[in-house]
C-alpha cells in the first residue's frame, strides 16, 4: 500500500487544486453533487490501487477527476448588460421569485400579473428596481396579449428583447378524466397552450433580432399519466411539444429554446388548501347524478385528501427553479431540458426504463393512491344497464 501513496496523493492534489480554483471562480458549488463525485473518486482510487500498475492508476484517477470536475462546472455565462426579459405569471411562485432574481442581476424585467394590485405585484414593486415594468395580462384574453405585445415592442427598442419566460399556467381541478368537465380541458388549453402560443408567436420578430432565448415551464404531469391531473397534464404535454418544435425550427435564427420540468414546490397557488376545497365542492355540485352515483362522493374526497397529503412533500426552496431559468437565459449553451427538484431524475428514470405496471404503481404510491369507485366496491349492486347507457352518452 505504501508504494501507492505518492502517485495517488499526486492525483488527488491535482483534483483538489482544480476544485479549489473552480470554487474560487464560482464555477463550482460545494454541495451534494460535488461530495458524491469525490466519494466515487475515492472508490475508484481504492480499485486502482489493487488492480492497476502505478502509472496507469495515476493516469486513470487524474483523468477521471479532471473530467468529473469539468462536468460539474457551471457552463460559461453571457453578461447581463442591458438585456430585457418578459416573464409571465408573476403574481406568485416561480414567476415572482424569478423576477426578483433577474432584477437583482441587472436585467430589465417586464413582468405580467393577473392583478396589478395583487399582494405579489405590490411586493415586486416594493423590492425591485425602477427597471421593473409590471403589466396586467390574462392569457385567456387576446386583447391583453395584444396590449403586452405592443408595450414590449415599444419599450425594448433600445435594448431589444433577449428572453421570454412562459411561466404562467393554470390547474384548477383534481379529478379523473371522466369526472373532469370538458370545459376544464378547454380552459387549461386556452391558458397553458393557446395563450402561450399567441404570445410567443407575437414576440418572435423581437427574439429573432436579438438571437435570444425562449424558456417554457412544463411539468412532469405532461410526460407521465399523473392520477387526476389530466386536464393540466394534457395541456402541458401540448405546450412542451410545441416548444420542442420551436427549438428545432428556430435554430437557423440563433434562438435557443429550453423547457423546465420542475418537481413539486411550495408555491402559493399549489399550497392554497382553501382554494382546492372550493374547487372540490364546485366539482361535486356540478357532477352529473349518474357519475356521482357510480364513483361516489367518498371517492372524490379520497382523491382530494391524497392530493393535499402529497403536497406535504413539496419543497419550500424555489431557488432550483429560478436557477434553471437564469441558466436557460444566460448559459452560452443552455440545456434543452431542466429537471429541478428532489427525485425528479428518479421519476423520469422509472418512467422511461421500468415496466408500465411499476410506473403506474410508483405514481400512485407517491402521489395519489388508488381507491375503488363506489360501483366497484364489494357489496355494491354496480351499474345498471340504463345507467351505463346514460353515462356513455354523456362522455
Amino acid at each position: 500500500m505504501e508504494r501507492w501513496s505518492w502517485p495517488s496523493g499526486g492525483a488527488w492534489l491535482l483534483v483538489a487544486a482544480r476544485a479549489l480554483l473552480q470554487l474560487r471562480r464560482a464555477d463550482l458549488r460545494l454541495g451534494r453533487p460535488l461530495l458524491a463525485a469525490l466519494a466515487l473518486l475515492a472508490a475508484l482510487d481504492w480499485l486502482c490501487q489493487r488492480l492497476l500498475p502505478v502509472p496507469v492508476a495515476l493516469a486513470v484517477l487524474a483523468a477521471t477527476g479532471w473530467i468529473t470536475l469539468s462536468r460539474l462546472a457551471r457552463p460559461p455565462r453571457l453578461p447581463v448588460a442591458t438585456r430585457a426579459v418578459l416573464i409571465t405569471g408573476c403574481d406568485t411562485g416561480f414567476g415572482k421569485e424569478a423576477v426578483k432574481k433577474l432584477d437583482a442581476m441587472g436585467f430589465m424585467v417586464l413582468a405580467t400579473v393577473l392583478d396589478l394590485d395583487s399582494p405579489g405585484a405590490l411586493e415586486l414593486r416594493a423590492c425591485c428596481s425602477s427597471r421593473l415594468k409590471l403589466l396586467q395580462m390574462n392569457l385567456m384574453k387576446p386583447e391583453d396579449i395584444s396590449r403586452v405585445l405592443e408595450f414590449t415592442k415599444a419599450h425594448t427598442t433600445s435594448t431589444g428583447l433577449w428572453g421570454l419566460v412562459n411561466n404562467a399556467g393554470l390547474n384548477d381541478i383534481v379529478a379523473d378524466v371522466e369526472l373532469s368537465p370538458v370545459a376544464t380541458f378547454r380552459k387549461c388549453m386556452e391558458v397553458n397552450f393557446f395563450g402561450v402560443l399567441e404570445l410567443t408567436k407575437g414576440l418572435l420578430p423581437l427574439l429573432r433580432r436579438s438571437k435570444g432565448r425562449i424558456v417554457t415551464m412544463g411539468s412532469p404531469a405532461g410526460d407521465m399519466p399523473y392520477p387526476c391531473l389530466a386536464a393540466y397534464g394534457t395541456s402541458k404535454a401540448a405546450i412542451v411539444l410545441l416548444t420542442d418544435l420551436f427549438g428545432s425550427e428556430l435554430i437557423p435564427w440563433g434562438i435557443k429554446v429550453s423547457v423546465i420540468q420542475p418537481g413539486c414546490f411550495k408555491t402559493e397557488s399549489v399550497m392554497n388548501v382553501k382554494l382546492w376545497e372550493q374547487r372540490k365542492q364546485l366539482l361535486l355540485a356540478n357532477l352529473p347524478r349518474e357519475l356521482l352515483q357510480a364513483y361516489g362522493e367518498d371517492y372524490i374526497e379520497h382523491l382530494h385528501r391524497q392530493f393535499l397529503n402529497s403536497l406535504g412533500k413539496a419543497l419550500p426552496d424555489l431557488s432550483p427553479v429560478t436557477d434553471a431559468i437564469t441558466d436557460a437565459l444566460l448559459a452560452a449553451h443552455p440545456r434543452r431540458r431542466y429537471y429541478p427538484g428532489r427525485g425528479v431524475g428518479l421519476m423520469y428514470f422509472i418512467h422511461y426504463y421500468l415496466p408500465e405496471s411499476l410506473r403506474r404503481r410508483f405514481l400512485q404510491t407517491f402521489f395519489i393512491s388508488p381507491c375503488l369507485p363506489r360501483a366497484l366496491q364489494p357489496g355494491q349492486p354496480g351499474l345498471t344497464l340504463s345507467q351505463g347507457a346514460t353515462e356513455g352518452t354523456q362522455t
Side-chain angles (χ1 to χ4, degrees), residues 1 13 16 31 57 66 69 71 90-91 113 144 146 166 176 183 206 233 235 238 259 272 296 298 300 345 356 367:
M1 289 294 294
L13 186 61
W66 194 270
L69 291 175
R71 297 284 291 179
C90 302
D91 300 81
V113 293
D144 283 9
S146 297
N166 289 311
D176 291 11
L206 299 178
S235 64
V259 174
N272 192 335
D298 289 346
I300 296 170
E356 192 273 337
F367 188 57

mmCIF file of all heavy atoms in Angstrom, residues 1 13 16 31 57 66 69 71 90-91 113 144 146 166 176 183 206 233 235 238 259 272 296 298 300 345 356 367:
data_model
loop_
_atom_site.group_PDB
_atom_site.id
_atom_site.type_symbol
_atom_site.label_atom_id
_atom_site.label_comp_id
_atom_site.label_asym_id
_atom_site.label_seq_id
_atom_site.Cartn_x
_atom_site.Cartn_y
_atom_site.Cartn_z
ATOM 1 N N MET A 1 0.823 -1.205 0.000
ATOM 2 C CA MET A 1 0.000 0.000 0.000
ATOM 3 C C MET A 1 0.869 1.271 0.000
ATOM 4 O O MET A 1 0.487 2.284 -0.549
ATOM 5 C CB MET A 1 -0.921 0.022 1.205
ATOM 6 C CG MET A 1 -2.038 -0.999 1.141
ATOM 7 S SD MET A 1 -3.180 -0.628 -0.208
ATOM 8 C CE MET A 1 -3.877 0.905 0.387
ATOM 9 N N LEU A 13 -3.990 15.674 -5.364
ATOM 10 C CA LEU A 13 -3.558 17.068 -5.283
ATOM 11 C C LEU A 13 -3.988 17.839 -6.531
ATOM 12 O O LEU A 13 -4.448 18.991 -6.444
ATOM 13 C CB LEU A 13 -2.036 17.127 -5.133
ATOM 14 C CG LEU A 13 -1.438 18.529 -4.901
ATOM 15 C CD1 LEU A 13 -1.964 19.141 -3.617
ATOM 16 C CD2 LEU A 13 0.088 18.433 -4.866
ATOM 17 N N ALA A 16 -7.773 18.334 -6.262
ATOM 18 C CA ALA A 16 -8.091 19.338 -5.241
ATOM 19 C C ALA A 16 -7.777 20.748 -5.737
ATOM 20 O O ALA A 16 -8.543 21.694 -5.510
ATOM 21 C CB ALA A 16 -7.317 19.035 -3.961
ATOM 22 N N GLY A 31 -21.596 21.201 -2.683
ATOM 23 C CA GLY A 31 -22.888 20.609 -2.369
ATOM 24 C C GLY A 31 -22.844 19.106 -2.565
ATOM 25 O O GLY A 31 -21.772 18.506 -2.736
ATOM 26 N N ALA A 57 -2.750 3.688 -12.989
ATOM 27 C CA ALA A 57 -3.648 4.112 -11.912
ATOM 28 C C ALA A 57 -3.634 5.625 -11.758
ATOM 29 O O ALA A 57 -4.680 6.266 -11.606
ATOM 30 C CB ALA A 57 -3.242 3.439 -10.600
ATOM 31 N N TRP A 66 -10.451 15.026 -13.368
ATOM 32 C CA TRP A 66 -10.492 16.219 -14.210
ATOM 33 C C TRP A 66 -11.802 16.287 -14.998
ATOM 34 O O TRP A 66 -12.455 17.328 -15.068
ATOM 35 C CB TRP A 66 -9.302 16.206 -15.149
ATOM 36 C CG TRP A 66 -9.051 17.520 -15.832
ATOM 37 C CD1 TRP A 66 -9.561 17.948 -17.022
ATOM 38 C CD2 TRP A 66 -8.243 18.583 -15.341
ATOM 39 N NE1 TRP A 66 -9.120 19.212 -17.312
ATOM 40 C CE2 TRP A 66 -8.299 19.636 -16.291
ATOM 41 C CE3 TRP A 66 -7.466 18.767 -14.198
ATOM 42 C CZ2 TRP A 66 -7.621 20.827 -16.127
ATOM 43 C CZ3 TRP A 66 -6.772 19.958 -14.045
ATOM 44 C CH2 TRP A 66 -6.861 20.968 -14.993
ATOM 45 N N LEU A 69 -14.867 17.010 -12.655
ATOM 46 C CA LEU A 69 -14.976 18.414 -12.267
ATOM 47 C C LEU A 69 -15.412 19.284 -13.444
ATOM 48 O O LEU A 69 -16.128 20.275 -13.268
ATOM 49 C CB LEU A 69 -13.640 18.914 -11.707
ATOM 50 C CG LEU A 69 -13.236 18.330 -10.351
ATOM 51 C CD1 LEU A 69 -11.837 18.796 -9.964
ATOM 52 C CD2 LEU A 69 -14.231 18.728 -9.268
ATOM 53 N N ARG A 71 -17.449 18.293 -15.775
ATOM 54 C CA ARG A 71 -18.892 18.066 -15.932
ATOM 55 C C ARG A 71 -19.695 18.787 -14.872
ATOM 56 O O ARG A 71 -20.824 19.224 -15.119
ATOM 57 C CB ARG A 71 -19.182 16.557 -15.854
ATOM 58 C CG ARG A 71 -18.562 15.726 -16.942
ATOM 59 C CD ARG A 71 -19.294 15.867 -18.242
ATOM 60 N NE ARG A 71 -20.613 15.271 -18.190
ATOM 61 C CZ ARG A 71 -21.462 15.277 -19.208
ATOM 62 N NH1 ARG A 71 -21.121 15.861 -20.340
ATOM 63 N NH2 ARG A 71 -22.652 14.722 -19.096
ATOM 64 N N CYS A 90 -46.432 36.334 -12.808
ATOM 65 C CA CYS A 90 -45.519 36.745 -11.744
ATOM 66 C C CYS A 90 -46.224 37.156 -10.450
ATOM 67 O O CYS A 90 -45.587 37.719 -9.559
ATOM 68 C CB CYS A 90 -44.627 37.882 -12.243
ATOM 69 S SG CYS A 90 -43.665 37.436 -13.704
ATOM 70 N N ASP A 91 -47.531 36.905 -10.340
ATOM 71 C CA ASP A 91 -48.234 37.216 -9.088
ATOM 72 C C ASP A 91 -47.676 36.408 -7.931
ATOM 73 O O ASP A 91 -47.622 36.885 -6.790
ATOM 74 C CB ASP A 91 -49.729 36.904 -9.225
ATOM 75 C CG ASP A 91 -50.397 37.697 -10.328
ATOM 76 O OD1 ASP A 91 -50.282 37.287 -11.500
ATOM 77 O OD2 ASP A 91 -51.022 38.716 -10.030
ATOM 78 N N VAL A 113 -48.802 40.139 -14.610
ATOM 79 C CA VAL A 113 -49.563 39.649 -13.459
ATOM 80 C C VAL A 113 -51.041 39.688 -13.818
ATOM 81 O O VAL A 113 -51.467 40.447 -14.701
ATOM 82 C CB VAL A 113 -49.300 40.507 -12.202
ATOM 83 C CG1 VAL A 113 -47.872 40.354 -11.716
ATOM 84 C CG2 VAL A 113 -49.606 41.983 -12.472
ATOM 85 N N ASP A 144 -55.591 41.409 -23.961
ATOM 86 C CA ASP A 144 -54.490 41.556 -23.002
ATOM 87 C C ASP A 144 -53.159 41.196 -23.657
ATOM 88 O O ASP A 144 -52.145 41.897 -23.473
ATOM 89 C CB ASP A 144 -54.716 40.661 -21.781
ATOM 90 C CG ASP A 144 -55.751 41.228 -20.819
ATOM 91 O OD1 ASP A 144 -56.416 42.214 -21.186
ATOM 92 O OD2 ASP A 144 -55.886 40.667 -19.716
ATOM 93 N N SER A 146 -52.410 41.269 -26.842
ATOM 94 C CA SER A 146 -52.059 42.302 -27.821
ATOM 95 C C SER A 146 -51.460 43.529 -27.141
ATOM 96 O O SER A 146 -50.485 44.117 -27.632
ATOM 97 C CB SER A 146 -53.298 42.706 -28.617
ATOM 98 O OG SER A 146 -53.792 41.615 -29.364
ATOM 99 N N ASN A 166 -42.086 31.767 -20.426
ATOM 100 C CA ASN A 166 -43.500 31.379 -20.371
ATOM 101 C C ASN A 166 -43.749 30.613 -19.081
ATOM 102 O O ASN A 166 -43.657 29.385 -19.033
ATOM 103 C CB ASN A 166 -43.853 30.512 -21.581
ATOM 104 C CG ASN A 166 -43.882 31.298 -22.875
ATOM 105 O OD1 ASN A 166 -44.497 32.353 -22.954
ATOM 106 N ND2 ASN A 166 -43.206 30.788 -23.896
ATOM 107 N N ASP A 176 -60.470 12.433 -12.030
ATOM 108 C CA ASP A 176 -60.312 11.548 -13.174
ATOM 109 C C ASP A 176 -60.779 12.251 -14.450
ATOM 110 O O ASP A 176 -61.537 13.226 -14.399
ATOM 111 C CB ASP A 176 -61.165 10.286 -12.985
ATOM 112 C CG ASP A 176 -60.645 9.391 -11.866
ATOM 113 O OD1 ASP A 176 -59.768 9.849 -11.106
ATOM 114 O OD2 ASP A 176 -61.121 8.252 -11.750
ATOM 115 N N ALA A 183 -65.119 21.514 -20.303
ATOM 116 C CA ALA A 183 -64.800 22.943 -20.215
ATOM 117 C C ALA A 183 -63.479 23.176 -19.475
ATOM 118 O O ALA A 183 -62.758 24.139 -19.775
ATOM 119 C CB ALA A 183 -65.932 23.679 -19.506
ATOM 120 N N LEU A 206 -38.993 40.042 -32.396
ATOM 121 C CA LEU A 206 -38.021 40.649 -31.481
ATOM 122 C C LEU A 206 -36.939 39.649 -31.088
ATOM 123 O O LEU A 206 -35.750 39.993 -31.018
ATOM 124 C CB LEU A 206 -38.722 41.166 -30.223
ATOM 125 C CG LEU A 206 -39.783 42.258 -30.413
ATOM 126 C CD1 LEU A 206 -40.402 42.619 -29.077
ATOM 127 C CD2 LEU A 206 -39.193 43.489 -31.079
ATOM 128 N N GLY A 233 -52.169 18.138 -17.251
ATOM 129 C CA GLY A 233 -51.094 17.387 -17.892
ATOM 130 C C GLY A 233 -51.205 17.376 -19.401
ATOM 131 O O GLY A 233 -50.198 17.486 -20.119
ATOM 132 N N SER A 235 -52.549 19.684 -21.328
ATOM 133 C CA SER A 235 -52.159 20.993 -21.856
ATOM 134 C C SER A 235 -50.651 21.196 -21.781
ATOM 135 O O SER A 235 -50.044 21.804 -22.679
ATOM 136 C CB SER A 235 -52.886 22.112 -21.095
ATOM 137 O OG SER A 235 -52.501 22.131 -19.730
ATOM 138 N N ALA A 238 -48.955 19.338 -24.573
ATOM 139 C CA ALA A 238 -49.097 20.055 -25.842
ATOM 140 C C ALA A 238 -48.093 21.200 -25.946
ATOM 141 O O ALA A 238 -47.445 21.380 -26.988
ATOM 142 C CB ALA A 238 -50.525 20.580 -25.978
ATOM 143 N N VAL A 259 -36.957 23.952 -21.946
ATOM 144 C CA VAL A 259 -38.145 23.581 -21.175
ATOM 145 C C VAL A 259 -37.704 23.224 -19.760
ATOM 146 O O VAL A 259 -36.725 22.500 -19.578
ATOM 147 C CB VAL A 259 -38.883 22.383 -21.809
ATOM 148 C CG1 VAL A 259 -40.028 21.920 -20.906
ATOM 149 C CG2 VAL A 259 -39.414 22.756 -23.188
ATOM 150 N N ASN A 272 -52.535 26.499 -1.622
ATOM 151 C CA ASN A 272 -53.769 27.162 -1.202
ATOM 152 C C ASN A 272 -54.864 26.122 -0.958
ATOM 153 O O ASN A 272 -55.676 25.813 -1.836
ATOM 154 C CB ASN A 272 -54.210 28.171 -2.267
ATOM 155 C CG ASN A 272 -55.298 29.094 -1.770
ATOM 156 O OD1 ASN A 272 -56.050 28.774 -0.859
ATOM 157 N ND2 ASN A 272 -55.402 30.264 -2.377
ATOM 158 N N GLY A 296 -69.126 7.917 -6.417
ATOM 159 C CA GLY A 296 -69.362 8.180 -5.004
ATOM 160 C C GLY A 296 -68.614 9.399 -4.499
ATOM 161 O O GLY A 296 -67.492 9.695 -4.945
ATOM 162 N N ASP A 298 -67.341 9.714 -1.606
ATOM 163 C CA ASP A 298 -66.163 9.274 -0.853
ATOM 164 C C ASP A 298 -64.940 9.147 -1.762
ATOM 165 O O ASP A 298 -63.810 9.407 -1.338
ATOM 166 C CB ASP A 298 -66.432 7.934 -0.166
ATOM 167 C CG ASP A 298 -67.400 8.074 0.994
ATOM 168 O OD1 ASP A 298 -67.631 9.228 1.421
ATOM 169 O OD2 ASP A 298 -67.931 7.048 1.452
ATOM 170 N N ILE A 300 -64.226 10.940 -4.472
ATOM 171 C CA ILE A 300 -63.704 12.275 -4.761
ATOM 172 C C ILE A 300 -63.027 12.861 -3.524
ATOM 173 O O ILE A 300 -61.971 13.499 -3.622
ATOM 174 C CB ILE A 300 -64.843 13.178 -5.270
ATOM 175 C CG1 ILE A 300 -65.366 12.632 -6.600
ATOM 176 C CG2 ILE A 300 -64.371 14.622 -5.424
ATOM 177 C CD1 ILE A 300 -66.629 13.279 -7.087
ATOM 178 N N GLY A 345 -35.279 13.273 -11.255
ATOM 179 C CA GLY A 345 -34.463 12.386 -12.090
ATOM 180 C C GLY A 345 -34.857 10.931 -11.913
ATOM 181 O O GLY A 345 -34.972 10.183 -12.897
ATOM 182 N N GLU A 356 -44.577 -0.809 -17.368
ATOM 183 C CA GLU A 356 -45.710 0.074 -17.176
ATOM 184 C C GLU A 356 -46.393 -0.128 -15.838
ATOM 185 O O GLU A 356 -46.805 0.841 -15.186
ATOM 186 C CB GLU A 356 -46.712 -0.129 -18.326
ATOM 187 C CG GLU A 356 -47.808 0.915 -18.404
ATOM 188 C CD GLU A 356 -49.009 0.580 -17.534
ATOM 189 O OE1 GLU A 356 -49.189 -0.610 -17.228
ATOM 190 O OE2 GLU A 356 -49.751 1.512 -17.165
ATOM 191 N N PHE A 367 -48.077 9.822 -5.179
ATOM 192 C CA PHE A 367 -48.949 10.947 -5.491
ATOM 193 C C PHE A 367 -50.354 10.689 -4.968
ATOM 194 O O PHE A 367 -50.752 11.215 -3.945
ATOM 195 C CB PHE A 367 -48.952 11.200 -7.000
ATOM 196 C CG PHE A 367 -49.663 12.461 -7.388
ATOM 197 C CD1 PHE A 367 -49.269 13.690 -6.865
ATOM 198 C CD2 PHE A 367 -50.727 12.430 -8.261
ATOM 199 C CE1 PHE A 367 -49.929 14.864 -7.209
ATOM 200 C CE2 PHE A 367 -51.387 13.592 -8.622
ATOM 201 C CZ PHE A 367 -50.985 14.812 -8.090
#
